[in-house]
Amino acid sequence: MILELDCGNTFIKWRLLSDDQSTSSAGGVVDSDQALIDVVREQVVRLRACRLVSVRSDEETAQLISQLEQAFAVVCRSARSAVALSGVRNGYEEFGRLGLDRWLAVVGAYQLSRKAALVIDLGTAVTSDFVAADGEHLGGFICPGVPLMRTQLRTHTRRTRYDRDEAARAFESLAPGRATAEAVERGCLLMLRGFVSSQASMAAELLGSDIEVFLTGGDAPLVMDVIPGVRVVPDLVFIGLAIACPIN
């Protein structure tokens, strides 16, 4: 089997592919290197290959690769920045500074659409990227996602305190909040939805009307109704990873 990893600063998203890369048999999210090794051991008898994308430091990434190669006797391939890949040209002035997860999501989206695209990744942070019909990456934006907005409010505002159950119930409506949890959670969600809406408008101005909008990341379901015809692709980064690190 083939192990694919999307290594963020806090969590690691993983999935297992069949040897012919046609189907995914298992996947999930873990919060540590050891948890990843443990869960993969439970799922697989033998790994044929491993590929990963990481936004961690070089030292942290190298440590994870070493652990994986020792645990599973497999060679791990790690995605690298590039000026161009699969028809997409990196739009950053210093191409190596564009986050690898953003880069691979853009490459994956263009591979799926082959037309102008807006790519929005909704995780701890929210990113947006604009790609012209000819594959030119025009840049994008980074802003706090709901988890970061929530954490900052609860950390820096002494009376902003509530538990997870209150937070979950708050999303049952978008009416003005009548309790702290409702006010914070709904306010953060409305900011997120407003950002997504503004990005769609900007994309139409920059790229024209014939564009495809992609949503990925854990909070994509919260905003998928904001833009008509949007494509929700949870594994968009993995699509780009397969292009960056092909396995024969």
Side-chain angles (χ1 to χ4, degrees), residues 12-24:
I12 302 172
K13 184 177 181 181
W14 65 276
R15 76 173 183 178
L16 288 168
L17 295 181
S18 58
D19 281 350
D20 62 5
Q21 304 177 57
S22 62
T23 58
S24 174

Side-chain angles (χ1 to χ4, degrees), residues 89-110:
R89 292 182 299 281
N90 193 315
Y92 262 33
E93 294 177 358
E94 298 180 56
F95 74 91
R97 300 294 295 272
L98 176 63
L100 276 171
D101 51 349
R102 287 176 62 194
W103 172 236
L104 294 185
V106 165
V107 170
Y110 192 71

Side-chain angles (χ1 to χ4, degrees), residues 140-206:
F141 298 96
I142 305 173
C143 68
V146 168
L148 280 178
M149 288 190 281
R150 177 193 297 127
T151 298
Q152 288 300 304
L153 281 169
R154 296 176 70 173
T155 300
H156 297 287
T157 309
R158 288 189 177 87
R159 293 184 181 274
T160 306
R161 298 288 187 272
Y162 52 89
D163 59 32
R164 291 183 179 179
D165 290 339
E166 290 178 285
R169 290 193 299 270
F171 283 154
E172 295 173 358
S173 167
L174 283 178
R178 296 172 63 88
T180 299
E182 294 176 353
V184 170
E185 296 295 322
R186 294 173 189 176
C188 291
L189 178 54
L190 286 171
M191 290 189 70
L192 185 69
R193 292 170 67 87
F195 175 79
V196 169
S197 179
S198 74
Q199 296 305 283
S201 297
M202 184 177 292
E205 294 177 5
L206 290 173

Side-chain angles (χ1 to χ4, degrees), residues 178-238:
R178 296 172 63 88
T180 299
E182 294 176 353
V184 170
E185 296 295 322
R186 294 173 189 176
C188 291
L189 178 54
L190 286 171
M191 290 189 70
L192 185 69
R193 292 170 67 87
F195 175 79
V196 169
S197 179
S198 74
Q199 296 305 283
S201 297
M202 184 177 292
E205 294 177 5
L206 290 173
L207 305 171
S209 59
D210 187 21
I211 62 174
E212 191 146 21
V213 180
F214 291 87
L215 297 182
T216 191
D219 282 340
L222 297 177
V223 300
M224 58 187 297
D225 62 322
V226 172
I227 307 171
V230 70
R231 290 182 67 174
V232 179
V233 186
D235 293 328
L236 192 56
V237 171
F238 285 145

